[in-house]
Amino acid sequence: MIQLIRRLIFAWKYKRAVRTATRLAELTGMRYLVIYLNGSLKVVPKQTIRELVRRHRFRKGVTVDDIERRALFITK
């Protein structure tokens, strides 16, 4: 029962994050990713991820492609 409630909450948060990402993508024209980071869903523009990888904010050897592959949703 607890697992069901957790799944429902995650599904609700995921839908909300996807909706936010698509709205922002339509508004700005940039590509947005929904990623699971630090225990929660984050909506992040791809440009920011490139910047963070360049500044070595992720583990050594991590590329933008690796993050894109692990993303839960990517806007067109």
Side-chain angles (χ1 to χ4, degrees):
M1 186 65 184
I2 293 173
Q3 285 291 67
L4 175 66
I5 293 170
R6 283 185 181 169
R7 282 184 183 172
L8 289 173
I9 291 171
F10 183 81
W12 181 74
K13 287 181 180 181
Y14 175 76
K15 285 180 187 177
R16 193 174 65 177
V18 167
R19 195 177 320 125
T20 304
T22 52
R23 283 183 187 161
L24 287 172
E26 289 173 0
L27 196 65
T28 62
M30 295 169 54
R31 183 171 285 202
Y32 280 80
L33 293 96
V34 175
I35 56 176
Y36 191 73
L37 190 67
N38 295 332
S40 65
L41 294 172
K42 307 282 185 200
V43 178
V44 187
K46 186 175 177 181
Q47 186 175 4
T48 303
I49 290 180
R50 283 184 186 151
E51 215 172 284
L52 291 173
V53 167
R54 227 178 284 131
R55 291 183 183 182
H56 306 291
R57 292 291 182 175
F58 292 99
R59 196 178 295 173
K60 184 178 180 180
V62 173
T63 62
V64 178
D65 292 333
D66 296 334
I67 296 169
E68 267 192 61
R69 267 189 246 116
R70 301 231 16 223
L72 301 175
F73 180 77
I74 304 171
T75 59
K76 301 293 179 198

